[in-house]
Amino acid sequence: MKRCPSLVDAGRRSFLTGAGLATAGAAAATVLPAQAKAAPALALVKYPASRLANLKDLTVNEPHNVAYPDVNAPGVLLKLGTRVPGGAGPDGDIVGFTTLCPHKGFLLTYSTGDKTLNCPGHYSRFDCEKGGQQIWGQATQNLPQYALRVDAKGDIYAEGVDELIYGRLSNVL
């Protein structure tokens, strides 16, 4: 039998060593520090701008009920009293969230003591000062937050949502 002169007989040991190194490299790439990986862009779903309220309608640490992006999506506007990431308005302290729990769709309630939205169904809790970050419970995603804009007259507009709203296959209306 004539062999190809370019063919290299690697053997089992060489093959397994190479496969092991490739596997180790792939595993190392998945456990790199978070700051070494590129940060994913937020998948903000744009909706038509919708006026939700005016600055005069809000009181510090009291929820203002709204519906966005449609009447079947209950939500809340909050003036937290301190500047927060993603906050709108002159003080950077106004945020808006859907009030449907992303786990099973229970209606969330606001706790003025720790500025969280809480689910009565399975006890998920979401930190309103940290962009709706889940801090406890069964939910597997953070609370969908509205992208807000405040105009010169003080009107507050929502222009998108950063997570999937419970019960929807997509955020497209």
Side-chain angles (χ1 to χ4, degrees), residues 27-40:
T30 62
V31 294
L32 285 174
Q35 59 268 31
K37 294 182 180 177

Side-chain angles (χ1 to χ4, degrees), residues 60 79-85 87-88 91-95 115 129:
V60 173
K79 182 170 178 58
L80 298 172
T82 57
R83 183 173 295 278
V84 295
D91 301 323
D93 65 343
I94 299 170
V95 292
K115 298 180 181 177
E129 293 178 303

Side-chain angles (χ1 to χ4, degrees), residues 4 11 16 19 36-37 43 58 78 82 98 115 121 140 150-151 171-172:
C4 176
L16 291 175
K37 294 182 180 177
L58 303 181
L78 299 164
T82 57
T98 181
K115 298 180 181 177
T140 58
V150 179
D151 71 9
N171 278 342
V172 179

Side-chain angles (χ1 to χ4, degrees), residues 2-9:
K2 189 170 184 180
R3 297 179 58 120
C4 176
S6 300
L7 183 64
V8 176
D9 186 14

Side-chain angles (χ1 to χ4, degrees), residues 103-173:
H103 176 235
K104 292 285 183 180
F106 285 91
L107 195 58
L108 303 173
T109 58
Y110 182 68
S111 171
T112 59
D114 60 2
K115 298 180 181 177
T116 59
L117 282 163
N118 302 287
C119 179
H122 298 105
Y123 311 110
S124 290
R125 300 178 70 224
F126 304 92
D127 190 335
C128 297
E129 293 178 303
K130 293 185 179 167
Q133 180 180 12
Q134 179 191 349
I135 53 177
W136 184 261
Q138 302 291 323
T140 58
Q141 75 178 51
N142 294 331
L143 195 59
Q145 184 173 4
Y146 304 152
L148 298 176
R149 173 179 58 85
V150 179
D151 71 9
K153 296 184 290 184
D155 288 331
I156 304 165
Y157 292 87
E159 298 179 327
V161 179
D162 71 351
E163 296 273 354
L164 185 63
I165 297 171
Y166 177 80
R168 297 175 186 222
L169 298 177
S170 71
N171 278 342
V172 179
L173 292 176

Side-chain angles (χ1 to χ4, degrees), residues 13-27:
R13 182 172 288 151
S14 296
F15 173 78
L16 291 175
T17 300
L21 290 173
T23 303

